[in-house]
């Protein structure tokens, strides 16, 4: 009798810890979606705007259909210029970094 009651308690505690673990994973993933989601200032759909990404990088420039399109800058978290040029559908097609002062550019290693 005692062994059966101990085994049933163990089974119930496993179910409880499993449901707690699943709930915790769901809650953390839900909250991280809002924390790491890029923040937009201006019109980041169609127009001029600034989008700040979760890692501190920023894109400042023109947007079309929610993607970088036109002229803009991509800045690092330290506000150094990573890319400067013309973008098309979210892809840099013309890099104009050579036209900027060297102290503003963060070189990739």
């Amino acid at each position: 009798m005692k062994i059966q009651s101990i085994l049933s308690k163990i089974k119930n505690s496993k179910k409880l810890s499993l449901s707690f673990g699943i709930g915790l994973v769901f809650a953390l993933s839900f909250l991280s979606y809002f924390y790491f989601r890029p923040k937009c200032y201006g019109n980041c759909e169609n127009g001029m705007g600034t989008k700040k990404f979760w890692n501190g990088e920023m894109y400042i420039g023109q947007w079309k259909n929610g993607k970088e399109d036109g002229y803009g800058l991509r800045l690092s978290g330290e506000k150094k210029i990573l890319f400067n040029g013309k973008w098309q559908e979210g892809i840099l097609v013309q890099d104009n970094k050579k036209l900027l002062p060297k102290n503003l550019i963060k070189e990739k290693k």
Side-chain angles (χ1 to χ4, degrees):
M1 288 294 247
K2 282 189 173 186
I3 293 174
Q4 288 178 344
S5 66
I6 292 172
L7 289 175
S8 69
K9 287 180 183 180
I10 290 172
K11 285 181 183 178
N12 288 339
S13 69
K14 283 183 181 179
K15 288 179 185 177
L16 180 63
S17 64
L18 179 64
S19 63
F20 176 75
I22 291 171
L24 183 63
V25 167
F26 176 75
L28 289 175
S29 63
F30 181 75
L31 292 174
S32 67
Y33 169 76
F34 290 104
Y35 180 75
F36 292 115
R37 186 174 64 180
K39 293 170 181 55
C40 176
Y41 306 95
N43 185 353
C44 295
E45 190 60 35
N46 288 304
M48 289 292 293
T50 300
K51 188 175 273 192
K52 187 171 183 179
F53 299 93
W54 66 272
N55 60 358
E57 290 185 4
M58 296 172 67
Y59 172 80
I60 303 167
Q62 297 172 319
W63 296 84
K64 184 177 177 184
N65 299 326
K67 294 183 179 180
E68 298 96 332
D69 200 291
Y71 290 95
L73 297 168
R74 182 76 181 234
L75 303 174
S76 70
E78 298 86 36
K79 306 298 185 262
K80 297 280 185 178
I81 296 172
L82 299 174
F83 302 105
N84 166 41
K86 187 172 182 180
W87 301 73
Q88 203 168 35
E89 296 183 9
I91 299 170
L92 182 66
V93 293
Q94 179 186 355
D95 192 358
N96 294 333
K97 269 198 311 192
K98 296 171 188 77
L99 304 176
L100 298 170
K102 290 191 180 217
N103 64 337
L104 294 177
I105 300 172
K106 179 181 178 183
E107 293 298 326
K108 298 222 175 198
K109 295 178 182 177

